[in-house]
Amino acid sequence: MAIADAVHDESAYRRGVVLVLSAGVFWSIAGLLVRLMDAASEWQILTYRSIALCLTLSLYLALRPGVSLLAAFRAAGTTAALAGLFLACGFASWIFAMTHTTIANALFLLSASTFMAALLARLVLGEQVKRATLAFMSLATAGVAVMVAEGVAIGTLTGNLFGLGAALAFAAFTVTLRRGRAADMTPAVCWAGIWGTAFGAGMVWLSGQGFAVSANDLALCALMGVVQVGLGLILFTAGSRHLPAAELTLLSLTEVVLGPVWVWLGVGEVPSALTLAGGAVVLGAVAGQAIFSVRRRPPIGVL
């Protein structure tokens, strides 16, 4: 029985690594989609993206065999609602960060969520951070420092603050997912859509902007809600059941590396040589953590 349990745990851990790495790839297209918008405001983007996200997650939960939509929300409980609230705050901050500084700089600041999540998980959950993970985090920090050396210089204080706010909100979301990992926390993503719709629509109405946007912007918002956020968060939430918070945020740094590349290829927002060099270091840290994660456990025969 012990060997069977070890096989199951090893398989679950490796699956978690793949899921989280894949989530970062989906998330990385956000900057490109925002740059392709015609004129939609930040609150309009948040509103329509959140509506698409809410519909996507509701459909996903409703179509899963064996558990009804209402039962899934009941099982996740108030922890999912709180995680969704943190994530919705992150959504808003992230959109404003992308529209007030370069995509590369916003992503570099978002990578601070790795260290914020590690600290929060230590304080809230008592999770230890492994020495190897600390080493890879230090390597990632060096890469981020290289990129920020140029990124901060061309950004604005407002964009930087929103980027850090998004990092803190994402770290809080990650730790809350870990706290509720005994249950399926996928409804937390749907809650994020609900909160995001409420925040965005409320601010659109209060600001008098109106809800009219171009067909292009509406389609891009829908794509963000369904694919970029929806599928990405489904994968990340599934992976969060098998990985510590520090490893979750570190592995998802694939978003930080790939995001500037898509914007570069799509709209010609060219990152500097230092940005690319720093991104390569971060990617090396992510790859190292991924390899260590799937090989870190002792052989089953010695358990």
Side-chain angles (χ1 to χ4, degrees), residues 17-33 107 227-229 231-233 235-236 248 250-262 283 286:
V17 170
V18 173
L19 289 171
V20 175
L21 286 172
S22 300
V25 175
F26 278 106
W27 292 339
S28 68
I29 66 173
L32 175 60
L33 297 181
L107 284 164
V227 178
Q228 183 259 327
V229 183
L231 292 180
L233 282 171
L235 295 172
F236 184 83
L248 279 170
L250 183 60
L251 290 171
S252 66
L253 283 181
T254 46
E255 175 188 11
V256 176
V257 176
L258 294 176
V261 174
W262 305 142
L283 183 58
V286 173

Side-chain angles (χ1 to χ4, degrees), residues 23 31 45 62-63 72 76 78 85 96 130 141 149 177 186 189 201 206 224 227 235 244 250 258 263-264 287 296:
I45 294 173
L63 293 179
T78 56
L85 179 60
F96 274 91
K130 300 177 182 65
T141 301
L177 284 185
T186 308
V189 184
L206 289 174
M224 291 175 74
V227 178
L235 295 172
L250 183 60
L258 294 176
V263 177
W264 176 20
R296 69 184 183 89

Side-chain angles (χ1 to χ4, degrees), residues 71-98:
F73 272 85
R74 285 177 176 172
T78 56
T79 302
L82 179 60
L85 179 60
F86 286 136
L87 185 56
C89 292
F91 285 166
S93 297
W94 180 231
I95 292 171
F96 274 91
M98 288 189 291

Side-chain angles (χ1 to χ4, degrees), residues 2-3 6-7 10 295-303:
I3 293 179
V7 172
E10 181 73 14
R295 299 180 59 184
R296 69 184 183 89
R297 299 191 178 194
I300 295 171
V302 303
L303 293 178

Side-chain angles (χ1 to χ4, degrees), residues 167-200:
L168 180 59
F170 185 62
F173 166 70
T174 301
V175 173
T176 307
L177 284 185
R178 288 292 296 165
R179 185 175 184 180
R181 64 187 179 276
D184 179 7
M185 293 298 289
T186 308
V189 184
C190 194
W191 271 113
I194 295 171
W195 290 118
T197 300
F199 294 160

Side-chain angles (χ1 to χ4, degrees), residues 85-291:
L85 179 60
F86 286 136
L87 185 56
C89 292
F91 285 166
S93 297
W94 180 231
I95 292 171
F96 274 91
M98 288 189 291
T99 56
H100 285 76
T101 187
T102 64
I103 299 300
N105 197 50
L107 284 164
F108 307 153
L109 293 167
L110 183 65
S111 67
S113 63
T114 300
F115 317 110
M116 295 177 182
L119 178 60
L120 288 175
R122 182 69 181 90
L123 295 175
V124 177
L125 305 177
E127 287 187 354
Q128 300 294 328
V129 181
K130 300 177 182 65
R131 290 182 180 179
T133 299
L134 285 172
F136 289 124
M137 288 169 62
S138 299
L139 180 60
T141 301
V144 169
V146 171
M147 294 185 287
V148 169
E150 286 206 344
V152 170
I154 60 174
T156 65
L157 177 61
T158 300
N160 291 344
L161 291 177
F162 276 123
L164 289 174
L168 180 59
F170 185 62
F173 166 70
T174 301
V175 173
T176 307
L177 284 185
R178 288 292 296 165
R179 185 175 184 180
R181 64 187 179 276
D184 179 7
M185 293 298 289
T186 308
V189 184
C190 194
W191 271 113
I194 295 171
W195 290 118
T197 300
F199 294 160
M203 291 305 300
V204 169
W205 180 73
L206 289 174
S207 65
Q209 296 174 2
F211 291 92
V213 296
S214 69
N216 174 73
D217 289 357
L218 187 61
L220 290 172
C221 288
L223 183 61
M224 291 175 74
V226 176
V227 178
Q228 183 259 327
V229 183
L231 292 180
L233 282 171
I234 287 173
L235 295 172
F236 184 83
T237 303
S240 72
R241 303 184 69 180
H242 310 297
L243 302 173
E247 294 182 24
L248 279 170
T249 49
L250 183 60
L251 290 171
S252 66
L253 283 181
T254 46
E255 175 188 11
V256 176
V257 176
L258 294 176
V261 174
W262 305 142
V263 177
W264 176 20
L265 295 175
V267 296
E269 188 173 293
V270 183
S272 68
L274 281 178
T275 294
L276 294 176
V281 174
V282 175
L283 183 58
V286 173
Q289 176 61 35
I291 294 171

